[in-house]
Amino acid sequence: MARKLYIRTFGCQMNEYDSARIADVLAAEDGLALTDRPDDADVIVFNTCSVREKAQERVFHDLGRVRALKAQKGDLIIGVGGCVASQEGAGIVKRAPYVDIVFGPQTLHRIPQMIRARRATGKPQVDVSFPEIEKFDRLPPPTVDGAAAYVSIMEGCSKYCTFCVVPYTRGEEVSRPLDDVLTEIADLADQGVREVTLLGQNVNAYRGSMGGGEVADLATLLEHVAEMPSIERIRFTTSHPKEMTPRLIDAFERVDKLVSHLHLPVQSGADRVLAAMKRGYTALEYRSIVRRLRRARPGLSLTSDFIVGFPGETEADFAGTLKLIEDIRFDGAFSFIYSPRPGTPATALPNPVPRAIAQDRLARLQSLVDAQYQSHSEAMVGSRQRVLVTGPATRDEGDLQARTDNNRVVNFAGDAVLTNTYVDVAIVAAQAHSLRGELVTL
Ligand code: SAM
Ligand code: F3S
């Protein structure tokens, strides 16, 4: 019987992507098959996140729960990866000696060797180094699941926003060479992929070498991907407003395959707060970027990230954030209460915002964003949308589920053979978290 791997993933899309790569590498080298039951597994991996909350504590809590499994199955391997692993390193083994391997986001390709070394030496293995981009040269080609795929184009972040751990846990920005990215996308297209999401903490900092000393930026990469006939749609995430260059804004005008949706985290609408966060732009500059983007691509849907309760945020600052949301009319947002992260400069800032005030601001912000999301959904009723069919609907198995350009789920009646193809649907109703559509037959 095939040996099994259980992975529990916390956090962002990068971690989801990394977990898929962990599964690929362990399937290719050790023949491990995925299971969703920890008690069936021969290898258990926690892919952790430390961006918010007491993620650390949660990891140890969850580890405690699988510890008992180790007593039943002597050769069970327990691994901890991701950003908590990166921050804590050997500290994890110190606190939980039953952990066998600790790896970082940049060393996950080394897991098979680490497992072998663990078995050979009987000692826990820790490797949370940042060995440049070697990871991608060592990983097997990604396995394809459906017609939409993520492609990592760069890793890490060098922006050092004062609240954020990512530059410390994932390292500084490193881009994959242009040809490597294009080859991976061409291989995915050969396996039936029609829609790609270019992924990175900060994709518009992409600087991929082209050979001969030349460097491609994200706009160049987008143009090359758009030339591939089998790729119908291109997305990219996440972008930083500071690097929305005129070339990239132009891409929304020139590259038709680029979706009419952009996730552009703003964090706050108050200049004082933006400066204390070291975001590198003012609210006016952000508005001007949005104006230029919407000139290049009328109707562009924008989503964003917000932090409320950043140290020193006043009611007037928060009102500035609400005003920005009202004016820009975001089509959804992730919003968070500021969470002090060990080792980041913001922890030294004065004037913490009391929890109750931060919670109240979060609730007000979310209800405004939700209302805007709903009114965008209602405005879509009566329109025709080109959607990628992803499979059966979650609620009603007789229905199909698909994704719109602006990342909404549409449910509609249709034949399962349409799965993994693009179809046109007429939107007939807007529900709280999805749309109802009807297949348009020509
Ligand atoms: N690379 C992205 C960007 O352009 O900003 C964001 C990366 S971060 C993993 C995702 C989001 O988490 C951020 O946009 C921010 O809103 C939120 N975040 C990061 N650190 C945080 C903290 N210490 N407290 C609360 N939210 C935080
Ligand atoms: Fe974090 Fe700011 Fe980079 S939010 S990921 S340091 S752009």
Side-chain angles (χ1 to χ4, degrees):
M1 207 173 68
R3 287 163 15 94
K4 301 239 169 68
L5 164 70
Y6 171 82
I7 307 184
R8 179 145 156 70
T9 309
F10 301 84
C12 65
Q13 282 163 319
M14 293 297 298
N15 264 12
E16 297 282 350
Y17 178 87
D18 284 349
S19 288
R21 299 288 76 76
I22 293 168
D24 286 344
V25 78
L26 284 170
E29 290 200 29
D30 294 349
L32 288 176
L34 274 176
T35 172
D36 50 13
R37 297 191 37 199
D39 42 350
D40 267 357
D42 301 281
V43 175
I44 292 179
V45 168
F46 288 98
N47 194 8
T48 63
C49 171
S50 58
V51 164
R52 283 174 295 275
E53 298 167 0
K54 300 197 172 60
Q56 227 160 293
E57 291 313 311
R58 218 166 62 200
V59 170
F60 287 108
H61 175 257
D62 283 16
L63 275 172
R65 298 217 313 233
V66 296
R67 179 186 192 167
L69 296 174
K70 190 124 182 175
Q72 294 160 20
K73 199 186 265 182
D75 61 351
L76 173 69
I77 294 282
I78 298 178
V80 179
C83 291
V84 177
S86 189
Q87 266 194 319
E88 299 288 306
I92 293 195
V93 180
K94 224 180 195 165
R95 207 169 138 182
Y98 49 91
V99 169
D100 302 290
I101 61 168
V102 178
F103 56 93
Q106 310 296 351
T107 49
L108 55 88
H109 58 291
R110 296 180 180 165
I111 298 175
Q113 291 105 284
M114 292 174 78
I115 294 180
R116 280 195 287 280
R118 167 70 179 98
R119 293 204 202 279
T121 64
K123 293 205 182 78
Q125 303 292 310
V126 179
D127 183 356
V128 292
S129 57
F130 295 143
E132 281 288 301
I133 209 79
E134 86 166 35
K135 160 170 144 181
F136 291 103
D137 297 333
R138 303 290 161 78
L139 285 170
T143 46
V144 171
D145 176 22
Y150 286 107
V151 176
S152 173
I153 64 166
M154 55 86 67
E155 291 265 318
C157 182
S158 309
K159 296 289 172 288
Y160 292 95
C161 302
T162 55
F163 52 80
C164 184
V165 289
V166 169
Y168 312 100
T169 58
R170 287 187 169 269
E172 295 221 321
E173 289 157 4
V174 190
S175 298
R176 294 177 70 190
L178 180 74
D179 274 351
D180 288 12
V181 174
L182 294 177
T183 307
E184 184 168 321
I185 298 176
D187 285 348
L188 291 169
D190 283 347
Q191 297 175 68
V193 166
R194 297 287 164 264
E195 181 166 320
V196 286
T197 303
L198 308 178
L199 196 61
Q201 284 302 337
N202 213 346
V203 283
N204 46 8
Y206 178 74
R207 302 284 179 274
S209 76
M210 298 170 77
E214 282 197 80
V215 172
D217 62 5
L218 181 60
T220 304
L221 171 59
L222 289 171
E223 275 165 15
H224 279 82
V225 179
E227 277 166 19
M228 295 184 191
S230 323
I231 299 296
E232 288 198 38
R233 249 184 205 171
I234 311 168
R235 303 176 185 275
F236 59 87
T237 195
T238 307
S239 300
H240 192 292
K242 211 170 119 182
E243 277 167 312
M244 267 339 276
T245 59
R247 278 174 50 73
L248 195 51
I249 294 175
D250 279 355
F252 279 92
E253 194 169 340
R254 284 182 289 113
V255 183
D256 292 343
K257 291 183 180 180
L258 201 51
V259 294
S260 285
H261 171 243
L262 178 66
H263 185 68
L264 194 61
V266 61
Q267 314 297 354
S268 166
D271 291 345
R272 260 167 28 82
V273 176
L274 288 170
M277 289 177 165
K278 211 164 127 298
R279 289 291 292 179
Y281 52 84
T282 61
L284 193 63
E285 280 162 348
Y286 186 88
R287 285 168 191 267
S288 146
I289 294 164
V290 170
R291 199 173 317 116
R292 282 182 280 144
L293 278 165
R294 284 183 167 152
R295 204 180 302 142
R297 181 67 72 88
L300 179 73
S301 136
L302 279 170
T303 53
S304 200
D305 289 351
F306 293 91
I307 294 178
V308 300
F310 191 74
E313 183 190 64
T314 61
E315 191 53 36
D317 293 330
F318 179 65
T321 302
L322 293 182
K323 177 83 172 73
L324 183 84
I325 297 172
E326 266 162 23
D327 293 346
I328 293 198
R329 304 199 55 76
F330 287 104
D331 192 13
F334 297 112
S335 47
F336 315 100
I337 291 179
Y338 167 68
S339 153
R341 305 285 70 217
T344 58
T347 53
L349 292 175
N351 305 321
V353 173
R355 182 95 194 155
I357 293 183
Q359 274 165 338
D360 174 63
R361 288 181 188 162
L362 185 71
R364 284 153 67 199
L365 187 150
Q366 285 178 341
S367 76
L368 178 58
V369 171
D370 286 351
Q372 291 190 340
Y373 176 87
Q374 204 51 38
S375 88
H376 280 287
S377 292
E378 274 151 25
M380 288 173 79
V381 174
S383 72
R384 184 194 271 212
Q385 302 285 328
R386 190 149 180 81
V387 294
L388 178 62
V389 184
T390 48
T394 23
R395 286 249 187 93
D396 186 345
E397 288 264 330
D399 279 353
L400 293 177
Q401 190 166 81
R403 287 234 164 228
T404 63
D405 222 35
N406 58 357
N407 247 329
R408 276 173 172 71
V409 171
V410 186
N411 297 308
F412 64 100
D415 195 310
V417 295
L418 296 175
T419 303
N420 295 331
T421 66
Y422 284 94
V423 297
D424 286 333
V425 292
I427 305 301
V428 294
Q431 285 143 2
H433 302 288
S434 63
L435 301 167
R436 183 81 213 159
E438 277 170 10
L439 192 62
V440 177
T441 40
L442 299 171

